[in-house]
């Protein structure tokens, strides 16, 4: 129980002023078009008077509601529990056991930063309906937020060993060169085009915009017009990607704090502070999207338990420890984070997968490409020859690309064991190499379709309570894959394995029946077999 000396605290009263300023911004954004609309039926001064009155009412209502929230919200941090009480008509009393608290993240948008405030999110990292595993304090002073983070994440100090405390990585502005080659740039370019068309439709001038664009290319071929428009969209996406990267990663620092806590701080306008306890870390994942990989860079993600991922956090990149950076820098950061002399992702030579795995990827890629080609060709033979030309062009361009990507996907397959970690790599458009603590694997899922069975392949999925929850080794050789799983987590698969017992050699010594390479199959073989440890 909490001691009687512990006092209830309130949020910072400046949160009411922040709400009033936000409502003023909303009123200003909606007020001008509203006033111009009203001016058509009344004098301009009268229209602005009505808008000002409405704006004042909106600001007063918003600030008043937030004042009531401020008055009715209190919290306290006890020796055993963190408690939050809030609500007027429906009072909510929530608490979290302190030993279950896994994250204390601080966030401050530009307005909160100007006011010296932060939003504090205290979480256990568990998934629950209604956010019952998270307490949110919106907002407290920056000093109070730092005090809460330090107090709630205080742990007994770990021995530093050979790896340094303090700053493990800091922003290198040259890393911004990887922003344009990420998948964000084309997405933002497409979003910009869609935004222009949507806004023009709202104002009823979409036809005029299309006509204006057509007039600009009146004496230009269709091909050149398409090239220019795509280039313009690409330029818009490039600018957007650079701006987004600066906003997300400016002032980036990765630090190891006393007590064994990794802290990531970043953000230009919206400051973010994310903490991950090292005792919750189960490994790292090196992520290399295709464009970033071509420039020799990689991103480092944490594989950890207890990272809060509700709807509000789903796109918050809470697990990213290092943005896209040169591969050697990423490997060094991974080694420092895991307290290893060399990153497990580079310390082992991965076992290649059978050629049958390459054949599967080639068939998938060609099927994906040729199916629309055949549909277009059939429609062209029935409707118009134009579709035949489109089908031919698609086949000429897409088939070689599909073959190259399929072969690259096969080359990227691999698995191995590096000390206390199992390592698995896969993917081409998004290549990922995960180093997962062998002790963090709580089960194996073995999948073998009828096609895989005929090809002698097997997909193994390591189940863990951290990160994505499961990490797969795709299309490994059946015997090699089972040997790998048996060696990576000894004792978990042994009761289910069938081993080859070859004839004794001339020396009279029988082969070792528990040698990993002696594994041939699994008892009770089925399309899907799940095995879980304690």
């Amino acid at each position: 129980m909490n001691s009687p000396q512990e006092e209830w605290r309130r949020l910072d009263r400046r949160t009411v002023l922040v709400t009033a300023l936000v409502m003023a911004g909303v009123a200003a954004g909606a007020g001008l078009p509203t006033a111009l609309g009203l001016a058509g039926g009344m004098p301009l001064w009268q229209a602005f008077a009505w808008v000002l009155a409405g704006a004042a009412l909106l600001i007063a209502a918003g600030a008043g509601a937030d004042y009531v929230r401020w008055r009715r919200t209190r919290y306290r941090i006890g020796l055993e529990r963190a408690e939050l009480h809030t609500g007027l008509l429906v009072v909510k009393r929530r608490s979290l056991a302190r030993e279950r608290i896994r994250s204390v993240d601080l966030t401050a948008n530009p307005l909160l930063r100007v006011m010296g405030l932060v939003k504090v999110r205290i979480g256990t990292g568990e998934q629950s309906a209604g956010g019952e595993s998270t307490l949110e304090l919106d907002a407290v002073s920056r000093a109070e937020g730092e005090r809460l983070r330090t107090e709630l994440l205080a742990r007994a100090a770990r021995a530093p060993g050979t790896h340094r405390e303090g700053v493990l990585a800091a922003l290198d502005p040259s890393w911004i060169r990887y922003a344009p080659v990420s998948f964000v740039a084309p997405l933002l370019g497409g979003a910009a085009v869609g935004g222009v068309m949507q806004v023009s439709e709202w104002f009823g001038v979409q036809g005029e915009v299309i006509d204006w664009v057509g007039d600009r290319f009146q004496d230009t071929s269709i091909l050149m017009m398409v090239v220019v428009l795509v280039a313009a969209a690409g330029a818009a996406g490039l600018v957007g990607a650079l701006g987004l990267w600066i906003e997300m990663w400016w002032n980036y620092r990765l630090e190891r704090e006393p007590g064994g806590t990794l802290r990531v701080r970043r953000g230009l306008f919206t400051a973010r502070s994310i903490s991950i306890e090292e005792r919750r870390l189960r490994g790292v994942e090196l992520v290399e999207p295709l464009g970033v990989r071509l420039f020799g860079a990689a991103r480092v993600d944490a594989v950890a338990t207890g990272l809060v991922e509700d709807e509000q956090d789903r796109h918050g990149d809470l697990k990213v420890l290092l943005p896209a950076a040169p591969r050697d820098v990423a490997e060094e950061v991974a080694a420092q984070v895991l307290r290893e002399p060399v990153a497990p992702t580079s310390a082992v030579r991965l076992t290649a997968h059978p050629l049958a795995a390459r054949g599967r990827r080639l068939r998938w890629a060609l099927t994906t490409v040729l199916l629309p080609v055949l549909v277009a060709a059939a429609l062209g033979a029935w409707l118009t020859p134009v579709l035949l030309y489109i089908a031919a062009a698609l086949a000429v361009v897409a088939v070689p690309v599909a073959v190259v990507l399929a072969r690259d996907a096969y080359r990227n397959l691999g698995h191995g064991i590096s000390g206390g970690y199992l390592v698995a790599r896969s993917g081409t458009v998004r290549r990922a190499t995960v180093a997962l603590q062998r002790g963090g694997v709580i089960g194996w899922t073995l999948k073998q379709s009828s096609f895989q069975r005929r090809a002698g392949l097997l997909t193994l999925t390591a189940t863990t309570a951290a990160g994505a929850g499961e990490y797969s080794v795709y299309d490994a050789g059946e015997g090699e894959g089972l040997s790998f799983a048996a060696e990576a987590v000894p004792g978990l698969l042994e009761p289910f394995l069938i081993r080859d017992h070859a004839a004794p050699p001339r020396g009279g010594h029988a082969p070792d029946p528990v040698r990993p390479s002696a594994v041939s199959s699994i008892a009770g073989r089925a399309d899907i077999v799940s095995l879980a440890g304690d």
Side-chain angles (χ1 to χ4, degrees), residues 4-19:
Q5 289 78 18
E6 293 160 359
E7 298 181 357
W8 288 95
R9 295 173 178 260
R10 294 190 184 277
L11 305 177
D12 196 291
R13 67 171 63 242
R14 287 174 292 178
T15 183
V16 179
L17 177 58
V18 170
T19 301

Side-chain angles (χ1 to χ4, degrees), residues 352-375:
H353 290 200
L355 289 176
R358 184 180 65 182
R360 282 171 58 81
R361 274 144 190 79
L362 286 170
R363 287 192 293 272
W364 290 340
L366 292 176
T367 300
T368 302
V369 171
L370 293 179
L371 185 60
V373 169
L374 293 176
V375 171

Side-chain angles (χ1 to χ4, degrees), residues 101-118:
I101 292 175
R102 297 293 180 263
S103 64
V104 181
D105 299 332
L106 312 182
T107 306
N109 59 37
L111 191 54
L112 289 177
R113 293 182 68 180
V114 170
M115 302 297 294
L117 304 175
V118 295

Side-chain angles (χ1 to χ4, degrees), residues 69-216:
R69 181 186 70 89
W70 173 78
R71 289 284 299 177
R72 297 292 300 173
T73 301
R74 52 182 182 156
Y75 68 94
R76 68 177 176 181
I77 307 300
L79 297 177
E80 297 182 2
R81 308 196 70 82
E83 299 177 84
L84 175 66
H85 292 182
T86 187
L88 178 61
L89 300 178
V90 178
V91 179
K92 295 183 179 180
R93 295 180 174 89
R94 297 166 53 197
S95 65
L96 300 177
R98 286 191 59 171
E99 68 269 13
R100 300 182 67 87
I101 292 175
R102 297 293 180 263
S103 64
V104 181
D105 299 332
L106 312 182
T107 306
N109 59 37
L111 191 54
L112 289 177
R113 293 182 68 180
V114 170
M115 302 297 294
L117 304 175
V118 295
K119 181 189 296 184
V120 181
R121 303 196 70 214
I122 305 169
T124 64
E126 301 170 347
Q127 299 294 335
S128 62
E132 296 300 324
S133 62
T134 303
L135 302 182
E136 184 172 291
L137 308 180
D138 185 13
V140 298
S141 67
R142 186 181 296 111
E144 174 68 2
E146 289 291 342
R147 184 191 73 82
L148 291 172
R149 196 191 71 85
T150 302
E151 180 179 348
L152 291 173
L153 295 181
R155 300 289 188 269
R158 292 183 53 172
T162 59
H163 290 79
R164 64 178 183 269
E165 306 286 336
V167 179
L168 303 184
L171 179 71
D172 184 341
S174 67
W175 297 347
I176 196 174
R177 65 184 184 272
Y178 302 120
V181 296
S182 69
F183 293 115
V184 174
L187 291 177
L188 291 178
V193 175
V196 170
M197 300 306 294
Q198 184 64 60
V199 172
S200 64
E201 183 180 3
W202 288 344
F203 288 93
V205 295
Q206 189 177 83
E208 286 82 350
V209 171
I210 295 175
D211 292 339
W212 182 86
V213 173
D215 292 340
R216 303 285 78 77

